[in-house]
Amino acid sequence: MKIKSVLSVILFLGMFVFLNPLQAEDKTVKLPAKEKFHIYLLIGQSNMAGRGKVTAAENQPHPRVLKLDEQGKWVPATDPLHFDKPKIAGVGPGSGFGPMMADADPDVTIGLIPAAFGGTPLSRWVKGKDLYERAVEWAKKNQDRGVVKGAIWHQGEAECKNPDLYNTYQKRLSGMIVDLRTDLNEPDLPFVMGELGEFLERPGVSTVNDAMHKISKSVPATAVASSKGLAAKSDQVHFNAKSEREFGKRYAQQMLKLQKAAKTK
């Protein structure tokens, strides 16, 4: 009898192990209809990836905001959204952007593609280079699941020490925006750039910020999110968590303005 009992337990456990993957699969996120799934690219360097401190109390996912994880699966958008540098990734602007975009339209689900990577120059974000091509690939793979509705960008700290880089920022970023729209077959894709922090003490900060504002006046469907009054962490390079969330809301405000303007054309 004891042997039969042991065998029964083993058989039961074996069935549980066999069935468990199916149970896990049942809990995966079910995507809405394509036209109701609005996808946004989050691109740039560390202040887009996020370095704000993650706290459990503020890390509750919005029911209609998802993120693409490292395995290419859509999951609830908890912090950190990015996985560029797992040991230091934290709260970024996407954490404020996603919920505000979802709240603006209760009929849609927001999908965030976290493609930013800390410390990277603009030269890796132009057509033909690794980070640009990776972001485009991730977006294209999901165009049959949803509609790519825009991109938000924060980068420039890496350019601010070299005059050859910050003095050519406007031309290079403008070209990248054009290429991104072409490659995604979205010629009017809204593109929102974020100012570098007021606290950043590098020679090219004002030049990079001016370049973004000039782009917003010369390249259609682009805008700039202000960093005015946003605070830094102790490193004086990265926005703190509270400021990152606020920054994300400012990105969303600009994105919504661009989308509203597009509807009136």
Side-chain angles (χ1 to χ4, degrees):
M1 294 295 293
K2 290 184 179 181
I3 295 176
K4 289 183 178 180
S5 298
V6 171
L7 289 174
S8 296
V9 170
I10 292 173
L11 179 61
F12 172 79
L13 291 175
M15 290 176 65
F16 177 81
V17 171
F18 176 75
L19 291 173
N20 198 46
L22 296 178
Q23 293 171 341
E25 186 176 344
D26 289 341
K27 295 179 181 179
T28 57
V29 174
K30 182 178 180 181
L31 299 181
K34 178 180 177 178
E35 66 274 10
K36 296 294 185 180
F37 189 37
H38 292 182
I39 298 172
Y40 293 89
L41 270 173
L42 279 54
I43 49 180
Q45 57 180 116
S46 57
N47 271 317
M48 178 57 71
R51 298 295 184 255
K53 183 179 179 180
V54 178
T55 60
E58 296 181 285
N59 198 17
Q60 304 302 315
H62 189 288
R64 289 183 292 105
V65 181
L66 307 176
K67 67 177 179 181
L68 195 69
D69 71 8
E70 200 167 3
Q71 287 73 46
K73 297 178 181 178
W74 289 104
V75 298
T78 54
D79 291 317
L81 299 178
H82 282 78
F83 40 84
D84 62 318
K85 298 182 180 181
K87 291 184 179 180
I88 57 175
V91 178
S95 303
F97 175 83
M100 187 167 178
M101 295 302 296
D103 289 342
D105 188 346
D107 293 328
V108 304
T109 295
I110 303 299
L112 305 176
I113 297 182
F117 201 101
T120 54
L122 178 54
S123 60
R124 291 181 65 184
W125 287 100
V126 297
K127 186 175 176 63
K129 299 301 181 179
D130 63 330
L131 295 178
Y132 173 92
E133 296 298 338
R134 185 187 69 166
V136 168
E137 178 186 2
W138 289 353
K140 281 185 173 180
K141 282 183 177 179
N142 285 281
Q143 282 183 311
D144 62 338
R145 300 175 180 175
V147 182
V148 179
K149 300 290 286 187
I152 61 174
W153 167 262
H154 197 278
Q155 192 277 339
E157 293 92 342
E159 319 294 302
C160 285
K161 296 179 180 180
N162 185 336
D164 291 337
L165 298 180
Y166 60 72
N167 285 328
T168 60
Y169 196 80
Q170 180 183 350
K171 180 179 180 180
R172 293 184 295 130
L173 182 56
S174 296
M176 184 271 268
I177 296 170
V178 172
D179 288 334
L180 182 66
R181 289 169 168 172
T182 300
D183 287 341
L184 295 179
N185 195 28
E186 293 286 351
D188 301 311
L189 185 76
F191 190 97
V192 180
M193 304 157 281
E195 291 179 333
L196 302 184
E198 294 178 313
F199 47 77
L200 190 63
E201 296 182 356
R202 295 180 184 179
V205 172
S206 61
T207 303
V208 169
N209 283 343
D210 287 345
M212 288 188 279
H213 283 281
K214 289 176 181 177
I215 290 171
S216 72
K217 293 177 174 62
S218 59
V219 179
T222 62
V224 180
S226 171
S227 66
K228 185 175 180 61
L230 299 182
K233 295 174 62 178
S234 59
D235 62 11
Q236 294 300 301
V237 175
H238 300 105
F239 298 97
N240 63 30
K242 181 179 179 181
S243 291
E244 286 281 31
R245 290 193 180 91
E246 170 59 27
F247 207 7
K249 294 176 183 178
R250 296 181 186 184
Y251 273 100
Q253 288 169 349
Q254 295 301 321
M255 182 64 69
L256 291 168
K257 286 181 181 178
L258 291 177
Q259 292 175 346
K260 183 178 180 180
K263 290 180 180 179
T264 61
K265 288 184 178 180

